[in-house]
Amino acid sequence: MTSASPARRARLGSAQTRAAWILVIPFVAVFAAMFLVPLGYSAYLSTFTSQLVGGQVFSGLANYQRALGDPSFWAGLSRVAIFLVVQVPIMLVASLFFALALDSGRMCGGKVVRLLIFLPYAVPSVVATLMWGYLYGENFGLITQIFTGLGLPAPELLAPGAILGSTMNIVCWEFIGYNMIIMYAALRTIPTELYEAAAIDGAGEFRVAWSIKIPAIRQAIILTVIFSIIGSFQLFNEPNLLFNIAPNAIGSDFTPNLYAYNLAFKNQDVNYAAAIAFLLGMVIVVLSVIVQGIVNRKEKTS
């Protein structure tokens, strides 16, 4: 067998490079037009301030300084942090439990159960929030009617002290199935030889799940954690719709996203809203990098 000459290898490499660029350029163009250009324009807007006299003037980082001293921004960020610490673990543990139960093959009607758990993810968040808003209603809600029928005091699920928990419940209902599908798909890729070896050693279902399944799908779990962190800080639809039902419980600054939206489209303060959005994006990036770094460090030491 004769090897290709250096000139032929160079021509082949050049042709492959051109083909790669031809395939990649459409994506790069769309990515730049739909992501980089709007992002750059938002960064540009955030460096200006609107004034009654003089119109828009360049103000550098003044909007960012204003945001860092804004109690509404910090209150929304704190609320989202509580949401992240409480709701995300509950949602992911429930997702993992259902994924393990379905993968064990011992659940009756597994395919139907899997579809029913995933179905809420197919429901638009607007419809889901309106549906739960009806269930939560103090005067007309189904939950209130059930408690009243039983002669018990109905819980005030749309009260200021309960609205965050009610929102957590809606998001859990929407996304447990989505995260379950990611974990379940990862579980199906585990080699069956591991289960056979565990069975020979006399390991039970709990031992197999704890020592084989969960470590094997670690990357899928990390993926759901990062998606959940990003999703928590992007919380918008649910509080925005619940605001119409419970205006006394949800303010315009309930979450940073909702605050930026109201600043931009109701207060017409686009420049400050862009600065809020950029600060929120930086918080998400930092948290995602920290989570990924912690996981990578644990994997290296294990």
Side-chain angles (χ1 to χ4, degrees), residues 204-262:
E205 282 293 332
F206 179 80
R207 183 66 176 173
V208 170
W210 184 257
S211 300
I212 296 177
K213 293 184 177 181
I214 294 177
I217 64 168
R218 182 180 299 168
Q219 292 301 326
I221 294 174
I222 293 168
L223 183 68
T224 59
V225 169
I226 292 176
F227 281 174
S228 300
I229 291 173
I230 295 172
S232 297
F233 283 93
Q234 291 179 341
L235 190 64
F236 176 78
N237 280 344
E238 291 80 6
N240 189 40
L241 290 168
L242 288 176
F243 174 77
N244 297 313
I245 302 173
N248 295 327
I250 294 182
S252 62
D253 57 352
F254 190 75
T255 66
N257 255 351
L258 186 61
Y259 186 42
Y261 171 82
N262 286 317

Side-chain angles (χ1 to χ4, degrees), residues 137-160:
E138 185 178 352
N139 299 319
F140 52 83
L142 179 62
I143 297 174
T144 298
Q145 292 179 21
I146 292 174
F147 272 83
T148 304
L150 295 174
L152 300 172
E156 297 180 357
L157 299 173
L158 295 177

